[in-house]
Amino acid sequence: MKAGPSLIPSMIEEAVRGTTPVKHFMRNACEDAEVAGRKIAKGDLLMLSYYSANRDEAVWDDPYIFRIDRPDNGHIAFGHGAHVCLGQFLARMELRLFWEELLPHIQSLGLDGEATIHPANFINGPEFIPLAFEMA
Ligand code: HEM
């Protein structure tokens, strides 16, 4: 990213895909349907697993690899359809500004120990990330 800050937007999409902070939502089927060969009846409760969808091997090459230049990153970490995340543009802007402001001030940045992730099955994120960096 230091070499090519133009990668910041695709890095952000990959970070949001990789972490998928909102794990799932529920939906009620409002009509009979069939999805990937599975029959869904009107009234069925469905758990939409964004985390799983963002690692679907049928969609992603090397889904477990973090690629800051992943092309056409059509992840669904912000949901999809009528209730798609209203804050997605603010979230992307905050992440972009953070990295645009930070990068010029650091020479290197890396893990300095083991990170821990908050255990939660709905919304989660990092709890503790030990970092080491060199100023530019
Ligand atoms: C990385 C950050 C964020 C992630 C991963 C995220 C993810 C999501 C997801 C998965 C949904 C449900 C979409 C669906 O049901 O299809 C949602 C809905 C929503 N999000 Fe976010 N969100 C983020 C940040 C934000 C921020 C910063 C705001 C507000 C400032 C926000 C406001 C909302 C609102 C209001 C909804 C409900 C929309 C509706 O029901 O019509 N989100 N978000």
Side-chain angles (χ1 to χ4, degrees):
M1 276 167 54
K2 285 285 280 183
S6 61
L7 286 172
I8 290 174
S10 60
M11 182 281 295
I12 289 169
E13 295 309 311
E14 182 68 345
V16 177
R17 179 191 76 86
T19 53
T20 310
V22 178
K23 305 300 170 203
H24 57 80
F25 258 79
M26 298 300 290
R27 290 287 192 273
N28 293 302
C30 54
E31 56 188 57
D32 294 344
E34 191 173 316
V35 177
R38 291 288 296 268
K39 290 204 184 320
I40 294 166
K42 181 177 177 180
D44 278 355
L45 274 175
L46 305 169
M47 188 186 100
L48 312 184
S49 175
Y50 304 123
Y51 197 80
S52 174
N54 283 337
R55 282 163 176 67
D56 186 342
E57 292 87 352
V59 175
W60 309 96
D61 292 334
D62 301 324
Y64 290 91
I65 304 292
F66 181 74
R67 284 180 52 188
I68 67 172
D69 61 347
R70 189 180 284 281
D72 305 324
N73 194 332
H75 68 76
I76 57 163
F78 291 114
H80 180 76
H83 292 282
V84 71
C85 178
L86 276 181
Q88 61 178 299
F89 304 101
L90 177 63
R92 287 186 169 105
M93 187 177 75
E94 287 177 336
L95 287 163
R96 179 176 56 75
L97 290 174
F98 173 80
W99 285 103
E100 281 176 1
E101 293 299 320
L102 181 68
L103 277 177
H105 298 291
I106 54 168
Q107 190 58 43
S108 66
L109 176 68
L111 275 177
D112 190 28
E114 193 146 344
T116 54
I117 305 295
H118 180 68
N121 75 1
F122 179 41
I123 297 177
N124 78 353
E127 208 163 36
F128 177 67
I129 310 181
L131 295 173
F133 59 88
E134 286 171 336
M135 299 300 287

